[in-house]
Amino acid sequence: MAMTATEKGKGKVEVFNSEEDLSVSVAKYTADLSDKFSKEKGTFTVVLSGGSLIESLRKLVEPPYIDSVDWSTWQVFWVDERVVPKDHDDSNYKLAFDGFLAKVPIPPGNVYSINDALPAEGAADDYETCLKHLVKSGLISVSAATGFPKFDLMLLGMGPDGHVASLFPGHPLVKETEKWVTFIKDSPKPPPERISFTFPVINSSAHIALLVCGAAEAGSVHAALGNSQNSDPLPVQMVSPEGELVWFLDKDAASKL
């Protein structure tokens, strides 16, 4: 079961009968982009998020992809992180390491985790400095349109409230236009302290895959993809990349469309 929405700016929408079918499709989509960018420029810059997203990448660690993907070209980043030690259960790094990174041969030096020894503001500044260095060295591309870093693929999830990364509805950070990486100390969802890419960075991406599963998210999916006019858009409605946006939805998440 798949349908396509062609509304300008809303991207391509794919709906799957099950999360299993969705994860199969996400793996192929990711592997195809990995192959494309690795052949074009020798690197593939991938941005991960937390939540159920990592579980939906599980097919990449199985045949054929575990053998066919050129993992040595992957450069891995995080769209957001909780300000906790890397071995803490709330850590997005730990989630990604346990569920994905530990199972694929990406060189450890190609994995750019957030400095967990710093407080929120310092960690955000440190990560932005790291990204600027990698842009200067040519490892991360730059958007000709915006001057912000242009990642090859950003893999995003969405919360039931429509938040993406650690950018929450009604929070001032959704309007940040200058910083690459920002911090939040009053997250409405615990833990309270996090760092996050800003929308200018998210929207400079070449490709964004938005993975959403479950009926709890159906209302926000409808707000983003339905015809309702929302004067105060949800963060997920502000995801509008320069390049390609593909929504991967299971039928529960798409149930109100």
Side-chain angles (χ1 to χ4, degrees):
M1 174 183 170
M3 71 175 192
T4 302
T6 54
E7 292 96 336
K8 181 173 172 55
K10 293 186 178 179
K12 179 182 178 187
V13 181
E14 297 189 5
V15 181
F16 300 90
N17 282 321
S18 66
E19 190 276 335
E20 176 75 8
D21 291 346
L22 180 150
S23 64
V24 169
S25 185
V26 167
K28 183 179 188 311
Y29 178 78
T30 304
D32 286 349
L33 286 177
S34 173
D35 187 54
K36 172 184 181 289
F37 283 106
S38 297
K39 286 175 176 170
E40 284 178 4
K41 60 189 181 74
T43 57
F44 181 45
T45 54
V46 185
V47 181
L48 303 177
S49 50
S52 60
L53 174 97
I54 299 300
E55 172 70 11
S56 293
L57 299 182
R58 64 187 180 278
K59 298 296 179 187
L60 281 168
V61 308
E62 300 173 4
Y65 305 117
I66 187 66
D67 302 311
S68 65
V69 167
D70 184 355
W71 297 104
S72 69
T73 67
W74 281 48
Q75 310 285 332
V76 179
F77 303 85
W78 276 263
V79 72
D80 70 326
E81 179 57 285
R82 289 83 177 272
V83 182
V84 294
K86 284 191 182 71
D87 59 356
H88 192 284
D89 284 344
D90 284 336
S91 164
N92 283 344
Y93 171 83
K94 178 175 171 25
L95 182 71
F97 184 83
D98 291 349
F100 178 58
L101 296 173
K103 302 174 183 180
V104 292
I106 297 171
N110 294 7
V111 176
Y112 298 89
S113 58
I114 286 149
N115 188 338
D116 62 350
L118 296 172
E121 185 172 6
D125 289 345
D126 181 75
Y127 208 47
E128 181 164 325
T129 299
C130 169
L131 297 184
K132 287 183 171 174
H133 173 73
L134 294 172
V135 164
K136 193 173 181 181
S137 71
L139 187 101
I140 299 174
S141 302
V142 177
S143 163
T146 68
F148 284 92
K150 184 170 188 167
F151 292 94
D152 298 331
L153 173 62
M154 207 167 278
L155 292 155
L156 300 179
M158 182 195 79
D161 61 353
H163 84 265
V164 292
S166 283
L167 302 171
F168 292 90
H171 197 281
L173 291 185
V174 302
K175 296 184 170 70
E176 173 63 53
T177 58
E178 295 182 7
K179 288 184 176 179
W180 294 12
V181 185
T182 189
F183 68 96
I184 180 171
K185 290 190 171 182
D186 56 351
S187 165
K189 178 182 174 186
E193 296 201 356
R194 298 151 174 252
I195 81 165
S196 180
F197 283 6
T198 59
F199 271 122
V201 174
I202 291 170
N203 286 336
S204 293
S205 301
H207 299 268
I208 294 180
L210 247 170
L211 281 58
V212 189
C213 295
E217 280 76 6
S220 291
V221 169
H222 179 259
L225 294 174
N227 294 321
S228 57
Q229 294 299 315
N230 189 344
S231 59
D232 191 17
L234 296 173
V236 73
Q237 292 174 270
M238 299 169 69
V239 176
S240 183
E242 279 182 37
E244 175 186 65
L245 170 61
V246 181
W247 291 73
F248 292 84
L249 308 174
D250 73 353
K251 65 177 189 290
D252 291 338
S255 60
K256 293 186 179 178
L257 293 179

